[in-house]
Amino acid sequence: MKILVIGSGAREHSIAEAFRRSLYQPYVIVSPGNPGIAREFETVELESFEDIEDYCIIESVDLVFIGPEKPLSEGLADHLRAHNIHVVGPSKSATRIESSKFFAKQLMMQNNIPTARFESYTDFDDAVSSLEKWNHPIVIKADGLAAGKGVFISNTKDDSVRVISDLLQKGSLGESGNRILIEEYLSGWETSLFAITDGVNFKTTIFSQDHKQLFDGDQGPNTGGMGAYAPVPEAEIYRHDIENLIVGPTIKAMGESGCPFQGILYIGLMITASGPKVIEFNCRLGDPECQTILPLLETDFVDICNSIIGGTVADLDLKWMNKSAVCVYAVSRDYPKNSNFITPITFSAHMDSFAFYGAVHFQNNELLAGGGRIMAITSVGLSKNEARNKVYHDLNKVFFEGMHYRRDIGLRENKF
Ligand code: AMP
Ligand code: GLY
């Protein structure tokens, strides 16, 4: 069996690793991958959808798993399906649940799915006049994809006017910000859940929790995610409501709108004093949540993928280890700013944790850290504390100039 994973980050590295553990013993290829992934898996550069299709046919690839939202939202899954290639990932029209926050919000409002109140604007003056109606803080979001940079929490009216002007007048996020959403600010604590779905039936995973801010104590700028852990026991009491009031209605509504969601749906939740509410949907596994969920899978990941493709999720027996996983990202010195600083990575001893690689390069037989999230170190333990201790012990064995990571992943108290 041959499996092709599309993507180039630590998330895709962990997806390849989950396939490697399969009892089907697949041969796993990652495209494009990165030099860190290439230490363990074959990687291949495929430029276009046609190149990926040709590769799958010539190499008799049995299954393609698409990791990131970009190729999904450009229609890669549709392209491969049209050529009878087995693929895990939603259609382009279903990815609108992530690529247009307006689409996702409308779907939620029309189906009474609990989420923050919102209004949407394309005109600067209209948006600014509406500010009279809102009590600050409010949340201002760009409609389109913005790689985690499209959400602004604004505490004052002046701040809001500036953000609205940046998006609608100055085009700071390009087309993604041509439409904005103004949202009620929700307080509570956040958790992520994934629904494995064939478009009709679904099974939910264990809960995970991301840590988005750059510094300990949730301080500093938002990032793509600095670390995560799973499971989140405090979230379990909400599972029934989340499945019945959020996941089920969302999947049903997607089907009824003519864009059934077939793949893995990410549900970002705020647990508020009045129950769980949707913060956002994504059309794919989360990064770094994925790196904590997949290592705890007991069910064969190939069986999960086959149930999505074959429409048999209703019969899927989803089992998890009775353990915890903690993932901590080591990031470059300027992250989340873009930087071109490249520096060698050294290891003082062998690591027992998984090292899932992100923004790395390879030169003169040396692995180098680039700019961004460099490596997601992940450990599994009998408890969250044991997993934390293992991860932080192993992080002491890695060094690159400017290396930064949070020391408090998994320590947050999930209280209102
Ligand atoms: P998003 O990209 O939509 O997940 O938003 C990024 C982060 O902004 C979330 O993880 C939350 O921490 C925060 N956020 C987004 N929407 C809201 C909201 N309505 N109320 C409070 N915080 C929010
Ligand atoms: N961890 C958040 C995301 O993948 O979007």
Side-chain angles (χ1 to χ4, degrees):
M1 171 180 248
K2 270 193 189 169
I3 297 179
L4 176 65
V5 177
I6 303 291
S8 63
R11 170 181 53 202
E12 286 73 31
H13 194 171
S14 75
I15 291 168
E17 175 60 34
F19 281 127
R20 200 216 323 253
R21 277 175 33 222
S22 163
L23 295 179
Y24 297 90
Q25 301 184 311
Y27 183 75
V28 184
I29 308 116
V30 186
S31 177
N34 65 47
I37 297 176
R39 303 199 326 169
E40 294 171 49
F41 296 94
E42 182 181 335
T43 59
V44 54
E45 293 274 345
L46 300 167
E47 300 289 333
S48 63
F49 288 6
E50 286 72 25
D51 287 353
I52 296 173
E53 170 202 332
D54 289 346
Y55 181 88
C56 290
I57 293 167
I58 293 163
E59 296 293 325
S60 303
V61 170
D62 298 284
L63 176 72
V64 181
F65 191 104
I66 306 169
E69 61 276 20
K70 189 163 178 285
L72 286 167
S73 65
E74 290 166 355
L76 179 56
D78 309 73
H79 183 94
L80 297 178
R81 265 197 283 274
H83 293 87
N84 296 319
I85 295 163
H86 285 164
V87 54
V88 178
S91 67
K92 178 175 175 168
S93 68
T95 64
R96 284 179 298 164
I97 200 159
E98 170 167 3
S99 64
S100 168
K101 291 185 190 282
F102 184 53
F103 172 87
K105 277 289 195 186
Q106 278 187 316
L107 183 120
M108 287 187 268
M109 300 311 275
Q110 283 158 7
N111 294 281
N112 291 320
I113 295 166
T115 188
R117 271 186 310 118
F118 86 105
E119 284 179 349
S120 132
Y121 296 95
T122 51
D123 180 73
F124 172 77
D125 293 324
D126 290 348
V128 169
S129 323
S130 81
L131 292 174
E132 299 302 332
K133 284 188 286 195
W134 294 90
N135 289 326
H136 283 73
I138 57 170
V139 185
I140 303 172
K141 296 185 178 181
D143 174 43
L145 291 177
K149 294 183 179 126
V151 175
F152 306 87
I153 294 172
S154 162
N155 288 308
T156 63
K157 194 176 163 206
D158 285 351
D159 248 5
S160 297
V161 173
R162 189 180 46 74
V163 171
I164 295 169
S165 165
D166 282 349
L167 291 168
L168 289 181
Q169 290 187 313
K170 298 188 187 137
S172 58
L173 288 175
E175 269 186 28
S176 286
N178 283 353
R179 178 188 286 280
I180 61 160
L181 274 65
I182 300 183
E183 265 186 38
E184 163 198 15
Y185 176 83
L186 299 174
S187 50
W189 55 274
E190 287 180 61
T191 184
S192 318
L193 183 70
F194 301 90
I196 292 161
T197 174
D198 50 25
V200 178
N201 292 298
F202 69 90
K203 295 276 158 74
T204 54
T205 63
I206 48 176
F207 288 91
S208 177
Q209 188 175 70
D210 190 4
H211 295 59
K212 285 207 165 112
Q213 278 86 12
L214 185 61
F215 301 120
D216 286 7
D218 297 331
Q219 302 297 309
N222 244 323
T223 72
M226 294 295 293
Y229 71 94
V232 183
E234 303 91 314
E236 284 304 329
I237 55 167
Y238 301 102
R239 183 181 294 275
H240 180 82
D241 276 358
I242 294 168
E243 289 188 345
N244 290 299
L245 303 177
I246 295 173
V247 185
T250 301
I251 288 170
K252 187 159 171 273
M254 292 291 282
E256 287 168 358
S257 321
C259 51
F261 190 99
Q262 196 183 10
I264 303 180
L265 176 68
Y266 170 124
I267 305 121
L269 296 153
M270 183 73 82
I271 309 294
T272 73
S274 56
K277 297 194 176 171
V278 177
I279 293 268
E280 63 161 351
F281 289 116
N282 291 323
C283 63
R284 42 145 183 109
L285 282 162
D287 183 351
E289 290 96 325
C290 171
Q291 291 92 306
T292 64
I293 287 198
L294 296 187
L296 297 176
L297 257 183
E298 218 163 74
T299 307
D300 199 302
F301 195 41
V302 171
D303 287 335
I304 294 179
C305 293
N306 284 337
S307 78
I308 295 172
I309 295 167
T312 56
V313 168
D315 305 323
L316 178 68
D317 187 15
L318 201 53
K319 288 212 172 93
W320 304 92
M321 296 172 194
N322 193 13
K323 292 183 179 176
S324 280
V326 174
C327 168
V328 179
Y329 253 118
V331 305
S332 64
R333 63 172 181 186
D334 286 335
Y335 184 73
K337 292 198 194 114
N338 294 330
S339 106
N340 297 321
F341 184 68
I342 292 183
T343 182
I345 305 175
T346 53
F347 297 91
S348 63
H350 171 77
M351 288 203 289
D352 299 314
S353 309
F354 293 109
F356 297 128
Y357 286 100
V360 294
H361 305 269
F362 194 71
Q363 246 170 33
N364 303 329
N365 241 353
E366 215 178 20
L367 197 63
L368 306 168
R373 292 188 292 178
I374 308 302
M375 54 207 288
I377 309 292
T378 303
S379 266
V380 172
L382 290 173
S383 64
K384 183 169 75 180
N385 249 342
E386 188 182 290
R388 262 181 56 79
N389 289 339
K390 283 189 186 173
V391 167
Y392 284 107
H393 183 70
D394 271 341
L395 271 159
N396 283 328
K397 302 174 186 168
V398 190
F399 176 80
F400 57 87
E401 204 184 319
M403 171 170 156
H404 164 71
Y405 59 89
R406 276 181 64 160
R407 321 251 155 185
D408 66 344
I409 303 299
L411 290 186
R412 205 187 269 142
E413 279 189 67
N414 294 321
K415 286 194 192 149
F416 301 122

